Amino acid sequence: MSAMPTITYNFGYLDEQTKRMIRRAILKAIAIPGYQVPFASREMPMPYGWGTGGVQVTAAILGPDDILKVIDQGSDDTTNAVAIRSFFAATAGVRTTTRTKEATIIQTRHRVPETKLGPEQILVYQVPIPEPLRFLEPRETETRTLHALADYGLMHVKLYEDIARHGHIATTYAYPVMVAGRYVTDPSPIPKFDNPKLDDCPALQLFGAGREQRIYAIPPHTRVVSLDFEDHPFRVQRFDRPCALCGAEDVYLDEVILDDRGGRMFVCSDTDHCDQRRAAGHAGTMAPQGAPKGTSKP
Amino acid sequence: MYVAVKGGETAIRNAHALLAEARRGDPAVPEIGIDQIREQLALAVDRVMAEGSLFDRDLAALALKQARGDTIEAIFLLRALRTTLPRFGAALPVDTATMTLRRRISATFKDLPGGQLLGPTFDYTHRLLDPALATQTPAAPAPAAKATPKVSAKAASKAAGKAAPKPPMGETSTPAAPVPRVTDLLGDEKLIEPAPADTGAEPPDLTRTPLAFPADRATRLQNLARGDEGFLLALGYSTQRGYARTHPFVGEIRIGEVEVELFVEELGFAVPLGAVSVTECQMVNQFHGTAEAPPQFTRGYGLVFGQSERKAMSMALVDRAMRWEELGETLSAPAQDAEFVLSHSDNVQSTGFVEHLKLPHYVDFQAELGLVRLMRGAHAAASDALQDGDPE
């Protein structure tokens, strides 16, 4: 059998040329907030649709001194978050954390942390379909033209039709936003509950869509407005009870099915936020006695 | 009492350990070697190389072994390595007219210079399971075929079952004398459109520039060459069934090894890097002509790493279908729609996005749950208000 070629990988997996290419796309994205910058997305060693865009952005901005947090559905412990965190721990040897406050880079799928982010932090979103108009117009050639002309009539008609049919806008996640008054942008499939956190956020927000080969950005302190109408203002979801473990109100909750007799409990989707609150002595109606479950360090 | 879902890391580790065990299968059965896969599952290896866009039989065989025989998973493994490799230049265009042929057939001419050479093909085999293969007996050597895949005029004419009118090539052909392509023979009479001229422009590289529309033909062909065989097969088939019919004929299919050369600036000449196996399909299609252009045959082109006639032919059919605009045809079917075809041809992308539905989506689902409850509440209230006694 012939000899296999030696296989070696760079810091953070991607080669430096590729990182430079991604950084150029990121810089352009920051310069034109909300605009989708095409980039030559690479095959990553995890499948497309599993966060390759976010992983490429993170790999391009990650330095040896960074502290990385990865969440999926708000949780550090979901399998894909674990897989991505260990990928960077292995390929870049960076420190990882589950604490929002400690992290310099937070890669996320489907949530924005409840803890307010600071100016020294970067939030990297994994994006499946970066084009907010995609389900109204499947052709990229068309949607790029619509963006160029800032022609967002289609989107407003869609939202209006929702109201006409249901009495309210029937979009609960990936709710479209207007960034810096110019580009209608997909905030990734976060619940619309999180949309207000994007506005005037002190942290840099980067969005990576690997399969669709797009990067876009919301620079710090940028105006981000969820689309609505004067007589139908944008409203976020409200839960009619607090977190059963930490008693937090005004947070996004996961519904957990307890039994087959309709038993339910609602707990924080942001596991770090819940842990921190419980460590600080807050308790919900179903909080276990004694110390909270430890925040397991990877 | 609710127990927080923890332990993802342990679960993943255990799943991977199970995977390794399942990959190995029954330890009483000898482990399969990379060389066995490379030699005995060569067509699977070829497909992985083609769609993985990396010509390396050993790595493709390793990928197949690691992927437990899952072709798309193996393609993915190869791509994830390929993407990290440095690109130090673009090879000169390969000249398939000078390739060392293992197989060469034309459906448009009974005989032609260079002859018909069947080569190793499943065509004309009876698809009966062969119990003899279930036992490990040494195979009988192939009659005429030699270990070295060289074409001689004699072998070519033998394969065609008749004497060639004039031996077009020497008895021993190292390096092989050129065997003219059917499209070149037709081109002499201007019966077929000429091959697009080489503009000398740097070819596009889809792995280094994002796909954009409209895409030129070179970009389209590059996309198809690494596109999913099954997807292209279905699209090509659809053109035969009337969804943008192109009246195709197989002008020629040739399989063999072609030399790859790199022009080195410092040396001032091209140096050979080695040979790659390719399958080339030249599809000849009808064209009625326009007011300006006389009737003429047109081309659809397919070129794939390794031996895959199915893929090369499908590619040629889809390539021709996507040329509708340039040839003044009307857009009527999916196979013609370049944006549709090129955006969905890549199986590594497709499988990733389809399979990502396995990932947790409970945050979004929670939002939808809330909405459905709200809407059902409103619906019930409206029904009550109507008092029409609907028992729902």
Side-chain angles (χ1 to χ4, degrees):
Chain A
M1 209 191 93
S2 52
M4 290 281 166
T6 344
I7 300 172
T8 51
Y9 297 111
N10 193 26
F11 174 86
Y13 179 76
L14 291 175
D15 58 283
E16 293 303 314
Q17 280 300 108
T18 300
K19 287 185 191 173
R20 270 195 281 277
M21 176 273 293
I22 296 172
R23 286 177 198 142
R24 279 195 293 271
I26 292 173
L27 288 175
K28 181 169 180 182
I30 294 171
I32 318 171
Y35 171 75
Q36 302 166 54
V37 182
F39 81 112
S41 176
R42 299 292 194 256
E43 280 95 353
M44 297 300 285
M46 65 266 302
Y48 284 118
W50 297 54
T52 55
V55 168
Q56 288 180 76
V57 169
T58 300
I61 62 173
L62 194 66
D65 299 330
D66 274 310
I67 304 172
L68 179 69
K69 170 182 165 83
V70 183
I71 49 173
D72 185 342
Q73 315 289 300
S75 164
D76 300 276
D77 279 308
T78 43
T79 44
N80 203 42
V82 170
I84 292 174
R85 193 167 53 236
S86 61
F87 172 74
F88 282 114
T91 59
V94 292
R95 278 179 63 203
T96 60
T97 183
T98 58
R99 294 193 174 207
T100 304
K101 279 193 183 310
E102 274 180 11
T104 57
I105 298 173
I106 303 170
Q107 182 170 329
T108 180
R109 176 169 171 265
H110 295 193
R111 273 314 307 276
V112 179
E114 306 286 2
T115 312
K116 259 187 100 58
L117 301 177
E120 70 292 345
Q121 293 181 302
I122 300 176
L123 186 59
V124 178
Y125 294 77
Q126 301 172 202
V127 182
I129 305 276
E131 179 49 72
L133 307 172
R134 179 61 67 238
F135 300 111
L136 306 171
E137 169 51 61
R139 276 173 205 285
E140 182 68 12
T141 35
E142 290 295 321
T143 52
R144 283 189 82 79
T145 309
L146 293 175
H147 280 295
L149 301 172
D151 180 354
Y152 297 122
L154 264 183
M155 182 61 88
H156 285 106
V157 168
K158 190 262 172 199
L159 298 178
Y160 170 75
E161 283 179 350
D162 270 8
I163 293 169
R165 198 173 306 150
H166 309 294
H168 52 85
I169 293 169
T171 299
T172 57
Y173 61 92
Y175 190 103
V177 293
M178 172 69 84
V179 174
R182 175 59 180 85
Y183 286 100
V184 165
T185 303
D186 179 70
S188 88
I190 55 172
K192 66 177 181 178
F193 179 91
D194 285 338
N195 274 22
K197 296 176 189 162
L198 272 61
D199 181 37
D200 196 29
C201 177
L204 170 63
Q205 302 174 77
L206 300 175
F207 298 77
R211 195 177 37 76
E212 299 279 339
Q213 309 189 311
R214 296 289 183 274
I215 285 173
Y216 53 103
I218 300 176
H221 301 293
T222 301
R223 188 98 177 92
V224 177
V225 180
S226 301
L227 300 184
D228 63 356
F229 297 100
E230 274 173 23
D231 51 344
H232 281 272
F234 173 79
R235 266 199 298 261
V236 299
Q237 294 104 330
R238 290 256 162 258
F239 292 85
D240 53 10
R241 68 199 90 184
C243 169
L245 294 178
C246 78
E249 297 179 43
D250 298 326
V251 294
Y252 195 77
L253 301 178
D254 289 336
E255 182 172 342
V256 180
I257 298 179
L258 296 176
D259 51 43
D260 57 0
R261 298 182 305 278
R264 300 273 196 279
M265 74 183 291
F266 288 78
V267 293
C268 284
S269 138
D270 185 336
T271 49
D272 171 63
H273 186 71
C274 199
D275 286 343
Q276 301 305 324
R277 279 181 53 84
R278 286 153 67 201
H282 297 279
T285 52
M286 294 171 85
Q289 303 304 309
K293 284 257 173 201
T295 53
S296 61
K297 284 272 181 179
Chain B
M1 177 53 64
Y2 170 75
V3 180
V5 185
K6 292 265 180 190
E9 294 193 36
T10 322
I12 290 176
R13 254 199 316 276
N14 290 343
H16 292 171
L18 263 178
L19 171 67
E21 192 181 304
R23 171 166 51 232
R24 179 58 184 87
D26 184 351
V29 176
E31 184 167 350
I32 193 168
I34 300 303
D35 50 349
Q36 291 173 310
I37 297 173
R38 188 190 61 221
E39 297 301 319
Q40 297 173 41
L41 297 176
L43 297 186
V45 168
D46 282 356
R47 178 167 177 198
V48 170
M49 293 196 303
E51 292 168 38
S53 307
L54 183 67
F55 194 90
D56 189 310
R57 289 211 157 87
D58 286 318
L59 288 179
L62 174 64
L64 271 167
K65 178 177 176 177
Q66 190 176 332
R68 306 178 65 197
D70 180 334
T71 313
I72 294 183
E73 182 68 26
I75 291 163
F76 182 14
L77 285 167
L78 211 56
R79 289 259 196 105
L81 169 71
R82 180 201 197 277
T83 195
T84 65
L85 302 176
R87 221 195 65 164
F88 55 85
L92 294 178
V94 295
D95 184 6
T96 52
T98 62
M99 70 197 251
T100 314
L101 292 173
R102 253 185 302 147
R103 173 164 163 81
R104 188 273 190 122
I105 52 160
S106 168
T108 49
F109 295 100
K110 186 174 181 184
D111 199 8
L112 65 169
Q116 306 253 18
L117 176 67
L118 287 187
T121 176
F122 291 120
D123 298 349
Y124 325 112
T125 60
H126 298 144
R127 267 60 169 207
L128 302 169
L129 276 176
D130 181 2
L133 284 178
T135 56
Q136 295 181 349
T137 44
K146 302 188 188 68
T148 47
K150 281 174 202 156
V151 179
S152 67
K154 212 176 191 175
S157 57
K158 245 187 224 157
K162 52 160 56 191
K166 258 181 214 145
M169 328 194 300
E171 185 67 47
T172 52
S173 50
T174 335
V179 176
R181 286 170 293 227
V182 168
T183 40
D184 298 339
L185 301 172
L186 277 171
D188 292 348
E189 265 189 89
K190 296 199 170 34
L191 289 172
I192 191 164
E193 61 172 341
D198 183 2
T199 59
E202 175 93 0
D205 184 348
L206 270 179
T207 67
R208 291 293 183 271
T209 0
L211 178 63
F213 300 104
D216 63 13
R217 192 168 174 211
T219 305
R220 299 197 303 252
L221 287 169
Q222 198 173 112
N223 175 288
L224 297 182
R226 64 201 320 247
D228 182 74
E229 180 175 309
F231 178 72
L232 296 185
L233 175 66
L235 283 174
Y237 176 47
S238 73
T239 68
Q240 289 181 283
R241 291 195 63 260
Y243 290 87
R245 189 163 174 224
T246 57
H247 307 268
F249 296 94
V250 170
E252 178 174 342
I253 291 172
R254 50 174 64 201
I255 301 176
E257 279 67 44
V258 66
E259 191 106 306
V260 178
E261 291 180 320
L262 180 77
F263 184 83
V264 183
E265 290 291 348
E266 292 85 339
L267 298 176
F269 56 85
V271 291
L273 299 176
V276 295
S277 310
V278 292
T279 303
E280 182 187 56
C281 173
Q282 296 266 8
M283 207 63 93
V284 175
N285 307 75
Q286 212 178 70
F287 176 55
H288 293 292
T290 62
E292 298 83 44
Q296 197 178 34
F297 289 108
T298 55
R299 298 164 184 247
Y301 187 71
L303 184 72
V304 186
F305 274 157
Q307 175 170 0
S308 179
E309 290 168 47
R310 184 187 302 125
K311 167 77 183 277
M313 293 171 75
S314 304
M315 177 175 169
L317 288 172
V318 177
D319 168 48
R320 174 60 184 80
M322 283 198 292
R323 296 180 60 204
W324 65 276
E325 208 167 5
E326 154 199 2
L327 296 170
E329 297 161 347
T330 46
L331 173 66
S332 63
Q336 295 170 296
D337 187 336
E339 188 165 347
F340 175 80
V341 173
L342 304 183
S343 300
H344 303 111
S345 61
D346 192 300
N347 55 22
V348 178
Q349 289 178 357
S350 317
T351 199
F353 201 47
V354 166
E355 295 200 49
H356 108 285
L357 292 170
K358 291 182 282 192
L359 289 179
H361 282 82
Y362 49 76
V363 163
D364 301 337
F365 188 68
Q366 187 63 46
E368 293 288 85
L369 264 180
L371 178 67
V372 172
R373 281 179 181 140
L374 181 81
M375 287 165 68
R376 285 177 63 83
H379 186 266
S383 303
D384 289 350
L386 278 173
Q387 289 186 334
D388 59 359
D390 188 331
E392 205 267 330

